[in-house]
Amino acid sequence: MLQINHLTITHRKDLRPLLTDFHLVLNRGDKAVIVGEEGNGKSTLLKWIYDPALIAGYAEAEGQRADQGERLGYLPQELSESDKNRTVHGYFSALDCFRGQTPAELRRLAARLELPEDIYCSKQRIGTLSGGEKIKLQMARLLMEQPDVWLLDEPSNDVDMETLAWMENMIRRSSGIVLFISHDETLIEATANRVILLEQLQRKTTGRWTVANMPFARFMAERAAGFEKQAQLAQSERREERIALEKFRRIQQKVEHDQSAVSRQDPHSGRLLKKKMASVKATERRYQRQHETLTAYPEYESAILVKFHGEQSIPASKTVLELSLPHLLRPDGTLLARHISLTVRGPEKVVLIGRSGAGKTTLLRQIRDILAERKDLRVCYMPQDYGELLALDQSPVEYLAPSGRKEDVTAVRTYLGSLRYTPDEMYRPIRELSGGQKAKVLLLGISLSGANVLLLDEPTRNFSPLSGPEVRALLRSFPGAIISVSHDRKYLAEVCDKVYLLTESGLLSL
């Protein structure tokens, strides 16, 4: 059992409450997902549960975590810099749980995760591995530790289809507690039996949390239906109130008129009108009390709003890319694939899939370098590692409005507001923002760039399940070409026209 009582977490910098008096009880077999918009405190909550010291640098927390001696296992959203600089061998050698594994157990574990048998002896730095390979290594560590409570922050980021299927099965079959954050709606729908929603309302001045004992799809459907019913009831009550008040005002005006017209020589009528006015005042006070009890309009955190600006269309007959590579090599010269051939014409939406480490990001970067020489195209690139493009010491406003002109700053502030940034977050160093908030900065930069070709490496990986549908609709409506890498199954189904599998022998059309 994992129990959290009276947890309140407040951001130190802007004193913004992320959670207030939060309660949660999870029992063996519970598979709970934490969802919410970027920057709402999902990762902070998971870190606090594992080790409160992890958030001490930027947040204050009061509350209690109770358990019955369960072992906690934690997969962070990002590896520490020290771990990135380790070799794979050094990473595993530092683990107590690794030293207790037999060679046969290590081979079976590598096979489960589709890793090479000799992966544990690799001298490659972890920071140079693909995103999916990093996740697999961390999952291998957790499987060695055999925790009773799995705390997983974005375990589905950057992993291939086979690993996603394995992860879904692992979460479903786990006999322990699994508490995870994910932006993969398919994974959530397939695994979670409880939902924890974190919201920031009233311009992020008030935090609200909801715990629901039901699958995600049912939760979202019932939530939407509840909001619609509440809105209809609130509207109906206000319509009835308006009709009643109009009738009351007519009566009030008549009594006031009669009072002003009554003669002093008719004291009996004056007394009657005085009584009527007292009754009118009592009725007015009753309506005021009733107004306070009217059903409130539903308050919820709306999805992000973003659109493309400028002309980005491409004629259907235009050749965007005609690629023929005899070899695809890593920067260190390692051969990844042969005979790469890819043609993209017009406003096609193309996606590359394949196992972790197959070279998808490497191929996308080569395409970026090739298209950068084209004068007839405007190309914009969104990397998997946002630090490749973002100036982390700049604020979102400084990055998006480098001119500093008042009109540019005002426009960017308006756009950031539609992406649910607070004024404080607009001027906070980008390095202090969550992964999802950094993704929003890049997405807004892309939308303002006027590009007609987008190269996107895992474009939906850090957008919440609440904003995911909006992002997919935005990319689907993009009038230019998109060449992307993704394993988001909803993105593949809703956005992409063509899917290519990268193998050692080339690209296969699926």
Side-chain angles (χ1 to χ4, degrees):
M1 181 192 74
L2 177 67
Q3 185 172 352
I4 299 170
N5 296 314
H6 304 293
L7 175 60
T8 295
I9 300 178
T10 305
H11 203 286
R12 287 182 185 275
K13 189 159 188 177
D14 56 12
L15 301 180
R16 178 165 55 94
L18 298 175
L19 279 172
T20 303
D21 200 28
F22 177 74
H23 294 263
L24 178 68
V25 177
L26 296 176
N27 296 301
R28 288 180 64 83
D30 280 339
K31 316 297 189 301
V33 63
I34 307 174
V35 297
E37 287 299 332
E38 294 72 25
N40 281 8
K42 303 184 296 296
S43 293
T44 298
L45 172 59
L46 213 59
K47 289 176 183 177
W48 180 88
I49 293 172
Y50 182 67
D51 180 2
L54 294 176
I55 70 167
Y58 67 92
E60 295 180 353
E62 294 182 359
Q64 301 83 40
R65 190 204 77 200
D67 56 52
Q68 297 175 339
E70 285 87 355
R71 296 187 303 276
L72 305 184
Y74 173 57
L75 184 146
Q77 188 177 128
E78 292 285 345
L79 280 164
S80 67
E81 288 303 316
S82 61
D83 279 339
K84 288 180 182 178
N85 288 323
R86 292 177 188 265
T87 65
V88 176
H89 176 69
Y91 175 76
F92 282 107
S93 297
L95 302 174
D96 292 335
C97 56
F98 175 71
R99 291 189 286 272
Q101 301 290 311
T102 68
E105 288 171 334
L106 291 174
R107 284 195 298 271
R108 284 196 295 270
L109 181 55
R112 286 178 67 183
L113 291 167
E114 295 189 341
L115 291 167
E117 283 189 4
D118 60 351
I119 185 66
Y120 313 104
C121 301
S122 172
K123 300 299 183 182
Q124 187 174 354
R125 270 197 323 112
I126 289 181
T128 64
L129 298 173
S130 71
E133 288 171 321
K134 293 172 188 172
I135 293 290
K136 287 184 176 184
L137 292 184
Q138 294 179 84
M139 290 302 295
R141 170 182 60 82
L142 287 177
L143 288 166
M144 292 178 196
E145 292 175 348
Q146 296 183 332
D148 304 301
V149 179
W150 297 69
L151 305 172
L152 309 176
D153 196 346
E154 297 292 354
S156 54
N157 267 5
D158 311 323
V159 297
D160 53 38
M161 298 292 190
E162 292 77 12
T163 307
L164 275 173
W166 172 86
M167 194 168 296
E168 286 181 8
N169 189 51
M170 185 277 293
I171 293 175
R172 280 198 304 263
R173 296 181 61 181
S174 173
S175 60
I177 295 169
V178 182
L179 177 60
F180 68 102
I181 300 167
S182 179
H183 296 137
D184 189 316
E185 294 164 59
T186 307
L187 176 71
I188 293 172
E189 292 168 358
T191 59
N193 57 24
R194 301 189 69 183
V195 179
I196 301 163
L197 172 63
L198 305 185
E199 297 178 278
Q200 290 284 300
L201 307 174
Q202 299 173 8
R203 297 191 176 185
K204 290 193 174 183
T205 60
T206 303
R208 183 174 72 186
W209 54 271
T210 304
V211 176
N213 299 322
M214 62 183 72
F216 179 71
R218 178 181 158 197
F219 168 72
M220 293 299 291
E222 290 190 6
R223 179 173 180 263
F227 283 154
E228 184 177 359
K229 182 178 180 181
Q230 182 181 345
Q232 290 176 348
L233 181 59
Q235 187 174 11
S236 175
E237 289 179 358
R238 281 159 178 75
R239 184 170 55 250
E240 292 175 2
E241 179 190 49
R242 187 169 60 252
I243 293 170
L245 282 174
E246 288 174 357
K247 182 178 180 181
F248 165 75
R249 296 301 178 200
R250 288 196 296 271
I251 295 173
Q252 183 183 41
Q253 290 169 3
K254 184 177 186 308
V255 173
E256 290 174 347
H257 177 269
D258 290 346
Q259 272 190 322
S260 64
V262 69
S263 169
R264 291 186 177 181
Q265 283 72 36
D266 188 1
H268 177 69
S269 296
R271 286 194 295 271
L272 289 176
L273 287 172
K274 190 174 182 180
K275 287 182 179 181
K276 282 187 177 180
M277 180 54 72
S279 177
V280 166
K281 293 295 184 182
T283 301
E284 185 175 38
R285 290 192 293 272
R286 177 166 58 84
Y287 279 133
Q288 289 172 347
R289 291 193 298 271
Q290 288 177 344
H291 180 79
E292 294 174 359
T293 64
L294 291 177
T295 300
Y297 280 103
E299 187 176 11
Y300 53 90
E301 193 171 26
S302 57
I304 62 173
L305 297 173
V306 64
K307 62 180 180 179
F308 287 106
H309 301 264
E311 178 57 45
Q312 293 116 341
S313 61
I314 286 184
S317 59
K318 185 177 182 64
T319 299
V320 174
L321 177 68
E322 197 154 20
L323 178 68
S324 181
L325 287 177
H327 301 99
L328 178 64
L329 305 174
R330 286 187 191 274
D332 63 5
T334 303
L335 179 65
L336 293 168
R338 294 184 176 88
H339 311 304
I340 301 292
S341 178
L342 177 63
T343 300
V344 179
R345 288 193 175 89
E348 287 185 329
K349 312 294 187 289
V350 172
V351 65
L352 310 176
I353 65 172
R355 62 174 178 81
S356 297
K360 303 180 296 296
T361 293
T362 300
L363 177 57
L364 193 66
R365 285 173 176 161
Q366 292 202 19
I367 293 172
R368 174 199 61 188
D369 295 342
I370 292 169
L371 294 184
E373 300 177 1
R374 294 272 297 272
K375 304 301 182 185
D376 58 331
L377 298 175
R378 298 185 302 279
V379 181
C380 201
Y381 172 59
M382 182 178 187
Q384 191 179 114
D385 180 358
Y386 304 144
E388 288 185 32
L389 290 184
L390 293 176
L392 299 180
D393 291 326
Q394 287 186 328
S395 70
V397 170
E398 290 170 332
Y399 177 79
L400 294 167
S403 69
R405 292 195 300 266
K406 182 178 180 180
E407 57 270 27
D408 293 342
V409 169
T410 299
V412 163
R413 283 174 55 90
T414 300
Y415 298 140
L416 287 169
S418 71
L419 292 175
R420 303 194 53 76
Y421 277 82
T422 65
D424 176 75
E425 289 168 339
M426 294 178 190
Y427 288 97
R428 186 178 295 172
I430 291 173
R431 69 170 66 257
E432 296 181 10
L433 302 177
S434 71
Q437 288 173 310
K438 292 173 185 172
K440 286 179 178 179
V441 173
L442 282 176
L443 182 66
L444 180 54
I446 288 171
S447 74
L448 297 172
S449 69
N452 54 14
V453 178
L454 304 184
L455 305 178
L456 310 175
D457 199 345
E458 299 287 358
T460 61
R461 65 193 292 261
N462 275 313
F463 289 102
S464 79
L466 307 179
S467 289
E470 301 294 330
V471 174
R472 293 193 297 273
L474 173 76
L475 296 176
R476 177 70 246 179
S477 66
F478 179 63
I482 296 178
I483 304 172
S484 57
V485 172
S486 181
H487 296 111
D488 181 339
R489 288 156 287 185
K490 287 188 181 290
Y491 172 81
L492 267 64
E494 297 176 17
V495 176
C496 302
D497 304 313
K498 294 183 178 180
V499 180
Y500 293 93
L501 174 66
L502 178 59
T503 70
E504 292 180 356
S505 56
L507 288 171
L508 302 179
S509 178
L510 300 182

